[in-house]
Amino acid sequence: MAARWATRSLRSHHARFISTAPASRLSTAEIVQMRNELFTKEKERQLSLYPRIEKIEVKYVGRSHPGTLFVMNKALSTPYNCAMHLSEWHCKKSVLALVDGELWDMYRPLTKSCEIQFLTFKDENPEEVNKAYWRSCAMIMACVLKQAFKDEYSVTLIRAPEVPVISGAFCYDIVLDSRLDGWKPTEDNFRSLTKEAYNLIHKDLPFETLHVEAKVALEMFQHNRYKMDSIEQKASQNPEGIVKLHRFGDFVDISEGPHIPRTSFCFQYEVTAAHSLQTSQSESVRRFQGVSLPIHLKAHHTVWRRLRERAQRLIIEDGSLEAKDESLEAKAVST
């Protein structure tokens, strides 16, 4: 898809390129499969640590049915399983859980007796829910970008900057093949990316979470030096050296999380812009941006148009976030 647009664009500038990737290099599909298999293998290994089913007590402390006690299975049952015991409303509306006050993915297994409550988009203060939504939308866009160019042009994922929802757009930074330095995405290109995102949304894929040792994460992302640097940094920030991974479908990424329960929580979604960033990296870094609203918060088409226009402007992280990765301090370069 994207490879075809890029080729057409480059040919219009009287340039034609032929892929010269070495035969030993793994294809995008092979790398995705490798990471997916390692994720599944590690998930099964962790589950094997609990050979016998143990029971835990989970006390619901939400507004409706407060004090309800669930007897659940340790390391198997999730907040979503608890929601199933309450009502269909809790299953459909709950975005995150609070487990003993800690933010928790809806499909992350519970490991001990605890108190639980659920967070929704309609809460009085939905800040953490909104953050999780933005984070998940960026991960969906990363999956689309990684697959869009097939193997004709290389696409290296860097990271999803943590930007607030009020900024107007979610983002993901990538490095494109140097042969695409002169490529400027068109509206048709963005529509094609958006279409691919909707394909993922309509598949209703669950977001899974897995906490792993750094060596496991390094094996998964051995073909991406940016991710390897991120793994080492994140592992150094906690005494256990743990790195948090998330997966939907067969796409795995490094992410602190938490994330929304399923891709189908997205309703209106659009990839809106790609900006070049001025960095200390030798490669050309692009910041792809998008905007989205969840199925619980639909907007009139006129409002959506304004949100879309706002999401086309370059989003720059605030100083506290930039300090985490000075090599990617961004300054707009018109594309």
Side-chain angles (χ1 to χ4, degrees):
M1 179 189 66
R4 289 199 299 272
W5 330 314
T7 302
R8 287 198 297 268
S9 177
L10 290 167
R11 284 174 180 171
S12 68
H13 286 84
H14 308 291
R16 185 172 182 175
F17 298 94
I18 299 173
S19 178
T20 57
S24 60
R25 178 183 170 188
L26 292 181
S27 68
T28 297
E30 289 170 332
I31 290 175
V32 168
Q33 181 181 359
M34 180 270 291
R35 288 178 186 158
N36 190 48
E37 289 175 351
L38 288 173
F39 188 102
T40 299
K41 180 181 178 181
E42 175 62 16
K43 186 175 182 178
E44 291 173 349
R45 185 197 69 80
Q46 292 185 19
L47 190 59
S48 71
L49 299 177
Y50 303 89
R52 292 182 299 182
I53 294 179
E54 300 178 40
K55 298 297 181 180
I56 57 175
E57 293 185 347
V58 181
K59 183 181 179 181
Y60 177 61
V61 293
R63 291 182 180 179
S64 62
H65 314 292
T68 301
L69 192 67
F70 310 118
V71 178
M72 310 301 288
N73 296 323
K74 181 178 180 180
L76 286 173
S77 299
T78 67
Y80 184 80
N81 296 134
C82 296
M84 290 173 67
H85 288 291
L86 287 172
S87 70
E88 185 179 0
W89 185 92
H90 285 88
C91 292
K92 289 185 175 181
K93 302 295 185 180
S94 298
V95 182
L96 299 175
L98 273 180
V99 177
D100 286 342
E102 180 183 351
L103 290 169
W104 207 271
D105 297 80
M106 289 295 290
Y107 290 109
R108 178 183 170 189
L110 300 166
T111 56
K112 62 184 178 67
S113 295
C114 58
E115 292 186 346
I116 194 171
Q117 63 188 98
F118 299 104
L119 306 181
T120 75
F121 287 109
K122 296 297 181 70
D123 289 346
E124 185 176 344
N125 181 9
E127 180 180 359
E128 294 300 334
V129 169
N130 289 339
K131 286 180 180 179
Y133 185 74
W134 231 224
R135 196 177 294 126
S136 303
C137 289
M139 187 169 167
I140 290 172
M141 183 167 65
C143 178
V144 168
L145 292 169
K146 186 61 181 175
Q147 297 176 355
F149 293 82
K150 306 300 181 186
D151 289 313
E152 189 169 353
Y153 299 99
S154 65
V155 178
T156 304
L157 301 179
I158 301 179
R159 63 181 185 128
E162 281 280 343
V163 294
V165 174
I166 197 172
S167 67
F170 52 83
C171 314
Y172 209 105
D173 294 344
I174 70 172
V175 172
L176 283 177
D177 195 301
S178 61
R179 295 170 296 166
L180 296 177
D181 285 350
W183 175 60
K184 297 182 180 180
T186 65
E187 285 300 314
D188 282 344
N189 299 158
F190 291 127
R191 277 192 288 270
S192 295
L193 291 171
T194 298
K195 181 180 178 181
E196 293 303 312
Y198 272 116
N199 287 339
L200 296 173
I201 290 168
H202 294 153
K203 286 182 180 179
D204 188 29
L205 301 168
F207 281 86
E208 305 169 75
T209 182
L210 192 66
H211 295 189
V212 305
E213 294 180 5
K215 64 180 181 181
V216 176
L218 287 170
E219 184 179 2
M220 286 188 191
F221 291 92
Q222 59 186 285
H223 301 92
N224 185 323
R225 64 183 179 87
Y226 295 101
K227 296 294 184 183
M228 292 181 71
D229 289 345
S230 176
I231 289 165
E232 292 173 352
Q233 179 187 19
K234 291 179 183 298
S236 68
Q237 293 171 350
N238 63 84
E240 296 83 12
I242 296 299
V243 178
K244 298 176 184 178
L245 306 178
H246 281 78
R247 174 175 74 174
F248 67 84
D250 59 6
F251 180 72
V252 181
D253 202 4
I254 304 164
S255 173
E256 287 297 302
H259 283 265
I260 61 177
R262 312 184 73 89
T263 57
S264 60
F265 270 56
C266 300
F267 179 65
Q268 290 166 289
Y269 187 108
E270 189 166 344
V271 181
T272 58
H275 297 279
S276 294
L277 303 183
Q278 230 176 40
T279 76
S280 59
Q281 304 291 340
S282 58
E283 300 97 339
S284 175
V285 177
R286 305 275 188 111
R287 175 162 294 172
F288 277 78
Q289 300 180 184
V291 65
S292 181
L293 285 175
I295 196 165
H296 311 87
L297 300 172
K298 302 172 186 177
H300 189 270
H301 66 87
T302 55
V303 175
W304 177 252
R305 186 172 64 250
R306 289 198 293 271
L307 292 173
R308 179 182 176 278
E309 290 171 354
R310 183 183 180 194
Q312 291 175 330
R313 300 198 301 264
L314 173 65
I315 303 299
I316 301 178
E317 300 161 88
D318 62 39
S320 62
L321 288 172
E322 286 180 359
K324 293 181 182 178
D325 192 348
E326 293 180 357
S327 68
L328 287 179
E329 286 183 19
K331 187 175 181 181
V333 179
S334 178
T335 59

